[in-house]
Amino acid sequence: MRRIGHPIGLCAGLVILALFVAPGAPARAQQHLTADTAATTAAGASFTAPADWRLAERAALRLLEPPEGDSHLAVVDVQAADATAALALGWATYRPGANRPLKIALPQAPYNGWEERHLYRYETSPNEKTVAYALAWRAGSQWTVVIVEASEATFEKRNAQFGLTIGSLRPKGYTRETFADKPAHKLDATHIGALQEFVRTAMMELGIPGVGLALLDGGQLVYAGGFGVKALGRPDPVDGDTLFLAASDTKALTTLLLATLADDGKLRWDQPVTEIYPDFRLGDAATTRQVLVRHLVCACTGLPRQDFEWLFNFAGSTPASSLAVLATMQPTSRFGEVFQYSNPMAAAAGFIGGVLAAPGQELGAAYDAAMRQRIFDPLGMTRTTFDFARALADNHASPHDEDPDGTPTVARMDMNYSVMPVRPAAGMWTSARELARYHAHEQADGALPDGRRLVSAASLRERRKPQIQTGEDASYGMGLAINTRYGIPVISHGGSMFGYKSVMVFLPAHGVGAVVLTNADSGGWLTGLFERRLLEVLFDGKPEAAEQVKVGAAQRKANRAKWRERLVIPPAPDDASKLAAAYQNEALGRFRVRAQDGAAVFDFGPWHSAVASRRNDDGTTSFISIDPTVDGFDFVVGTKDGKRALTVRDNQHEYVFVEAPP
């Protein structure tokens, strides 16, 4: 299932202490790390070990364990003839006798001083609730193997810390690339052309039908245009004014609304939320008391994603019911401990801000009005909207994805309507040109083109202050991500909804900004690498982005083909016979099972999908949604209280649908 928001086992409880005291291999004592700690492998590769984790060293092995104790990250130095041999030696050193079935081996592009890189993913069954993968990277003649075996819950919760260690892993003697104190090229015709060519090539390799692009230099718009088409099978071209669903880019503008309210004295960033909205609830009373305004948008409270509860059951949902659901959600880590991204919390921030700006109105109407009056109209974003009907009647791009066999196709819009009850988190329709006007305002530190001030520089910049670490030299502020990987501050945010992927990025010290909007799920590879290409063009950086896109496109194709291999479409009759006519879950609602054109369809009302069956390695059977953009929901067959049941999971939650009357 694709992530919605901002675009990678070991069974729980495995005892590994024997690795620390293996006969004939003296072990160094296991250390509990009280802070992020610089570490090295036996061969001198460097990495950062996360705070609160445990680190053990034994000869060529560095073994890291998060506080939960049910997951492990091994870093192993080996000498080998090739990647396959290196991987085998890595496993033999980390966990002798391990025999995980390999799912797929994928090449990666050279990066961070590693001349050759490979990724290996292992087969796991849904009921294992396990993540298992490995990396084999080479610099010179030295191989470094990374093995991750983790419970899904811990891996999701501590994903940023896993990423910190792996992202910081560099070979001995490597000097990081830096653009500090380096002048940026102007975005003239030549440099704009280089960025345009990158977009065109990525579109072709990734099968993206359309892209909207805007570029700013010196805080001024220097390019707004489009590439490709709004919908496959139609000639209508994308231009700089074509509307796309910008998804979580919305969060930055929602926090801009909060900044204007801070200037007006209607809220303080460190004010308890219940002081301005007494009905706010999160988990229990003790948790609720801790929540400050900044916590709504910092991704730092420990509240996990828990997106299924607004994705599955949105037909009767409202902004008020979305806020009420927060009272049933509890953080799974301490405030400020780890980065955990929450769309419902960001939605609450916007709706509460709307009520402060327009008291007495319904939550959604108040937010919409506040955004129009305080943000969109002053910035000249006159066509930007949360109104789907208005957007779809305008110059807009349609969503796309591949069918199960890899054929690109126009996708249905229905699942994107799920964002309406949580629209401050991800519901904005906008164009490249109009979103660039927001960027120009960020570059102008809150001043409008006519000299008037929309927001104070202090309130605007408060949103860019790091609130929680997301990786090496990377953090999340309030609706904005901040990184200094290359020695300069880069502010950004990405967006992901069904069939739409986007990114916006700006360099405040250089007056440069960019907006990329795409109408395909494969667009996540382009938006994820555009920032790198922008920096290459501005600072004559190492040319890495184009090769990473090429390799990423090949990975995506290979992953999809491997996924398709095990699917039976339509489901095998003996599997389909296990299904009831209807199912119910208290949190996610109800769906019925129906036949359509020879396919089995799970119909949730506001959205539906054909399903395939799959036999899992543990003997269980899954039904997998396969319609474009909603593919990948995995329903595992079982029973509960003597009734037929289907279990679907995100990484930290489990939902059991039980047989219900038709």
Side-chain angles (χ1 to χ4, degrees), residues 141-200:
S141 61
Q142 179 67 53
W143 287 91
T144 298
V145 175
V146 175
I147 299 171
V148 172
E149 292 189 299
S151 75
E152 288 182 345
T154 296
F155 187 76
E156 168 80 6
K157 180 166 63 174
R158 299 193 179 274
N159 186 264
Q161 293 181 320
F162 279 92
L164 169 65
T165 296
I166 296 171
S168 64
L169 182 62
R170 288 183 286 274
K172 181 179 181 180
Y174 176 71
T175 301
R176 297 176 67 185
E177 185 178 28
T178 181
F179 305 134
D181 302 320
K182 194 170 184 179
H185 291 300
K186 297 295 292 182
L187 285 181
D188 56 18
T190 298
H191 294 95
I192 291 172
L195 293 170
Q196 291 173 324
E197 181 59 25
F198 176 74
V199 170
R200 290 191 189 96

Side-chain angles (χ1 to χ4, degrees), residues 189-472:
T190 298
H191 294 95
I192 291 172
L195 293 170
Q196 291 173 324
E197 181 59 25
F198 176 74
V199 170
R200 290 191 189 96
T201 301
M203 289 176 65
M204 179 180 65
E205 291 177 338
L206 293 163
I208 304 168
V211 172
L213 174 68
L215 302 169
L216 298 97
D217 195 3
Q220 301 297 312
L221 185 70
V222 295
Y223 176 81
F227 308 85
V229 295
K230 293 184 280 188
L232 287 174
R234 298 176 57 185
D236 302 342
V238 172
D239 57 37
D241 297 308
T242 300
L243 298 176
F244 294 76
L245 187 57
S248 284
D249 294 348
T250 309
K251 290 180 175 70
L253 285 87
T254 291
T255 62
L256 184 59
L257 169 65
L258 299 185
T260 69
L261 295 168
D263 281 346
D264 290 350
K266 295 181 181 293
L267 62 80
R268 303 185 309 277
W269 296 113
D270 290 321
Q271 183 176 19
V273 172
T274 52
E275 287 186 6
I276 56 174
Y277 192 77
D279 290 338
F280 175 80
R281 299 288 184 274
L282 177 64
D284 56 28
T287 302
T288 299
R289 285 193 295 270
Q290 293 183 67
V291 182
L292 308 179
V293 171
R294 71 173 64 248
H295 290 143
L296 297 173
V297 286
C298 70
C300 64
T301 63
L303 190 70
R305 295 189 66 96
Q306 211 156 339
D307 285 335
F308 283 10
E309 295 184 25
W310 59 272
L311 288 173
F312 274 69
N313 192 25
F314 62 87
S317 296
T318 65
S321 67
S322 297
L323 268 180
V325 168
L326 280 170
T328 70
M329 298 180 178
Q330 187 71 19
T332 57
S333 56
R334 301 185 306 271
F335 280 36
E337 181 181 6
V338 292
F339 171 79
Q340 294 207 68
Y341 192 79
S342 172
N343 285 301
M345 285 285 274
F351 290 137
I352 292 170
V355 167
L356 294 178
Q361 296 190 48
E362 182 269 333
L363 289 171
Y367 172 75
D368 295 348
M371 290 295 288
R372 172 62 54 205
Q373 294 162 12
R374 286 176 169 258
I375 306 299
F376 297 156
D377 284 350
L379 293 178
M381 301 172 69
T382 57
R383 294 172 55 246
T384 298
T385 184
F386 297 104
D387 186 333
F388 271 61
R390 178 181 166 187
L392 296 178
D394 201 341
N395 167 14
H396 77 282
S398 297
H400 296 78
D401 192 18
E402 292 99 3
D403 67 16
D405 295 315
T407 302
T409 184
V410 178
R412 298 193 312 271
M413 184 64 71
D414 49 12
M415 194 60 152
N416 283 312
Y417 285 93
S418 64
V419 80
M420 283 303 291
V422 291
R423 55 189 176 273
M428 177 178 67
W429 288 87
T430 193
S431 68
R433 188 187 308 277
E434 292 208 348
L435 196 50
R437 290 174 183 153
Y438 154 73
H439 275 276
H441 174 258
E442 287 275 1
Q443 299 282 16
D445 258 353
L448 296 169
D450 62 7
R452 292 180 299 125
R453 182 160 287 282
L454 178 64
V455 65
S456 69
S459 292
L460 180 96
R461 292 188 177 193
E462 188 71 20
R463 301 154 50 249
R464 306 178 193 169
K465 292 181 178 179
Q467 303 293 320
I468 192 73
Q469 185 179 24
T470 59
E472 186 183 35

